[in-house]
Amino acid sequence: MSLPAMPACKIAIILGTRPEIIKMSPIIRACEALGVDYFILHTGQHYSHEMDRAFFEELELPEPKYNLDVGSGTHADQTGRIMAGIETVLMEEKPEIVLVQGDTNTVLAGALAATKLQIRVGHVEAGLRSFDRTMPEEINRVVADHLSYHLFAPTETARQNLLLEGVEDTRICVTGNTIVDAVFQNQELSKKKATILKDLGLKPGEYFLVTSHRQENVDSPETLRSIITGLAAIHREYSRPIIFPMHPRTRKTVEQFAIPLDGITVIEPVGFLDFLQLESSACLVLTDSGGVQEETCILGVPCVTLRENTERPETIEVGSNLLASTVAGEVLASVRQMLSRPRTWKNPYGDGMAGRLIISLCNGMAGGLTVTVGTTLPLHNDYSLIR
Ligand code: UD1
Ligand code: UDP
């Protein structure tokens, strides 16, 4: 089937952190494949090579046209500087649509700056809710959703959350999550290129993988100690390596409070191809990351979430994930339970064509439709066209 011609529509893709680069990559590829007029604005919220450049290089993404280099700061300071920088670029570039993804300060600032310039905002991964306003991410996603013109909800649950908050149905489209596209587009390459298992001397199915960086978990030395006590208990019970690619935020607390990491193999954050290999061959993943809860569900690997709640309830419902809290005993009990479950769940996040659908919707090809996951899309189901 050939694709219909696109009306001209200039799109600004705003991103700033590791997960935004990964989850926007299928959208960037769709823009390239469909000849869309677009540019990338990087806020510089993440800037360390292993949190930023590494992903542009490995995923072969085009260079951002702008990088605001805002770096780290308090929430208001960082958000304010991002807003000011984005405003200047948008006034110059005058795009028709601004796309933001997820729930970071970059997303909040992008949505606010664009809306005040009366530019339409499209929110990718709209409608997620933890119903916990102590999380900075929950505040960011609620505000971004209510400012957005196009709400690209990954699942029906996300759509219902938006409807319950009074968002107009016609603005919402259930697209699936672009993380499925990113996993599908890079899985084969990961199998061919990733070397991390060999580098670390790991055997498939015989190690645990951990990530933790949530503000409420790792800024508190008590909570981080409790998580690490739980990991040490898992190491004692299963005698398997525990691999922890450590986010810089977490490393800061570990170093400041000299938290011992006995039995845990701490490594630098790794690239996406190596991370996909680590995830897909782990016997189980422990995490407080949003994206990692989704990826384990897609890859068929059991997950234990180091939180009290999750804005990814689909993973709990299908049975790929269990909420453990950060209490050491609960973490160990959840690991035992998840290891005994069959891995027969189905991926609830779509068919891997979300990026193309979102770009098509932005260009009016499917405007006004509420498309549900599983709907046959007017697109080629051929990933080689996208990579
Ligand atoms: C941010 C997002 C979070 C997302 C995460 C993805 C907000 C409020 N939080 O959290 O939702 O899950 O990104 O990883 O937007 N640092 C570095 N190098 C970097 C980036 C950060 O060393 O490239 C260190 C700095 O000490 C910084 C700290 O990490 O102060 C936190 O960075 P920040 O971007 O504020 O928040 P994240 O915890 O990364
Ligand atoms: N990730 C990675 N290398 C790592 C850890 C994570 O490439 O060492 C990827 C992971 O595959 C996922 C994303 O980073 O796609 C998740 O980012 P993060 O946990 O920082 O943020 P969140 O999803 O919680 O917002």
Side-chain angles (χ1 to χ4, degrees):
M1 189 193 303
S2 62
L3 293 167
M6 293 231 175
C9 169
K10 186 171 174 180
I11 299 176
I13 295 177
I14 297 183
L15 45 76
T17 66
R18 169 171 73 184
E20 292 163 83
I21 301 168
I22 293 169
K23 287 179 167 175
M24 280 296 202
S25 68
I27 290 182
I28 295 167
R29 291 216 173 94
C31 286
E32 292 278 335
L34 299 170
V36 170
D37 183 13
Y38 81 102
F39 66 93
I40 301 170
L41 191 172
H42 193 323
T43 63
Q45 179 173 342
H46 281 182
Y47 46 85
S48 301
H49 183 270
E50 71 280 7
M51 302 296 288
D52 172 23
R53 287 296 320 153
F55 295 93
F56 279 89
E57 288 164 11
E58 192 173 49
L59 301 177
E60 296 174 16
L61 297 174
E63 284 302 308
K65 185 166 180 186
Y66 301 92
N67 193 324
L68 304 178
D69 286 322
V70 295
S72 306
T74 64
H75 283 278
D77 168 59
Q78 187 180 54
T79 308
R81 285 186 290 118
I82 299 175
M83 266 184 84
I86 289 177
E87 183 180 60
T88 306
V89 173
L90 295 183
M91 283 165 73
E92 169 81 21
E93 288 278 355
K94 299 185 176 48
E96 272 82 28
I97 296 181
V98 163
L99 288 181
V100 290
Q101 189 286 326
D103 51 23
T104 64
N105 288 345
T106 289
V107 172
L108 172 66
L112 273 167
T115 308
K116 293 209 170 186
L117 291 172
Q118 298 182 21
I119 299 170
R120 290 181 180 188
V121 176
H123 189 196
V124 179
E125 205 177 75
L128 272 62
R129 294 290 180 271
S130 65
F131 305 101
D132 176 0
R133 295 261 173 124
T134 64
M135 291 178 71
E137 291 84 0
E138 183 75 354
I139 298 162
N140 293 346
R141 51 174 97 93
V142 168
V143 176
D145 280 340
H146 285 269
L147 292 173
S148 292
Y149 187 89
H150 299 288
L151 294 108
F152 302 117
T155 65
E156 182 57 29
T157 304
R159 176 172 165 266
Q160 289 302 327
N161 287 338
L162 293 167
L163 292 175
L164 284 169
E165 290 177 13
V167 176
E168 284 168 57
D169 202 3
T170 49
R171 292 186 183 206
I172 309 169
C173 179
V174 180
T175 58
N177 195 310
T178 59
I179 194 63
V180 183
D181 314 25
V183 168
F184 288 0
Q185 288 168 21
N186 293 290
Q187 215 169 5
E188 283 311 309
L189 208 60
S190 165
K191 282 180 192 150
K192 274 191 215 137
K193 283 196 168 176
T195 57
I196 190 92
L197 252 60
K198 199 162 151 260
D199 297 346
L200 297 177
L202 296 170
K203 292 201 185 93
E206 292 188 18
Y207 64 90
F208 293 89
L209 176 66
V210 183
T211 79
S212 179
H213 71 280
R214 235 5 90 219
Q215 174 181 296
E216 58 276 19
N217 282 353
V218 306
D219 284 9
S220 147
E222 292 76 30
T223 310
L224 187 52
R225 269 197 198 98
S226 176
I227 291 174
I228 286 167
T229 305
L231 298 178
I234 295 165
H235 184 59
R236 278 196 302 278
E237 179 151 327
Y238 292 95
S239 305
R240 289 179 185 173
I242 300 200
I243 310 300
F244 194 159
M246 197 169 273
H247 190 289
R249 180 175 204 132
T250 316
R251 193 178 278 278
K252 206 159 75 174
T253 307
V254 165
E255 284 170 3
Q256 190 183 346
F257 295 92
I259 298 176
L261 298 163
D262 301 334
I264 301 168
T265 307
V266 174
I267 57 173
E268 289 296 314
V270 299
F272 192 49
L273 300 183
D274 274 341
F275 196 75
L276 278 177
Q277 186 177 67
L278 276 176
E279 264 181 316
S280 42
S281 297
C283 66
L284 182 143
V285 179
L286 298 108
T287 194
D288 58 19
S289 157
V292 174
Q293 290 175 67
E294 293 159 352
E295 285 165 358
T296 46
C297 184
I298 296 160
L299 294 166
V301 176
C303 181
V304 165
T305 292
L306 304 166
R307 288 175 48 190
E308 308 273 350
N309 54 47
T310 180
E311 58 293 313
R312 272 89 176 173
E314 301 85 355
T315 60
I316 307 289
E317 282 152 22
V318 300
S320 69
N321 186 15
L322 208 55
L323 286 176
S325 84
T326 52
V327 177
E330 299 292 324
V331 174
L332 179 60
S334 301
V335 166
R336 286 184 190 134
Q337 196 179 330
M338 277 310 293
L339 283 176
S340 67
R341 268 193 200 172
R343 302 177 174 204
T344 48
W345 59 81
K346 289 206 162 49
N347 156 31
Y349 289 114
D351 62 359
M353 297 303 286
R356 281 209 165 200
L357 176 58
I358 288 165
I359 290 304
S360 302
L361 288 161
C362 287
N363 281 278
M365 279 166 56
L369 287 180
T370 299
V371 185
T372 50
V373 174
T375 303
T376 308
L377 307 174
L379 302 166
H380 293 285
N381 194 13
D382 178 356
Y383 298 105
S384 64
L385 285 175
I386 306 171
R387 170 83 211 172

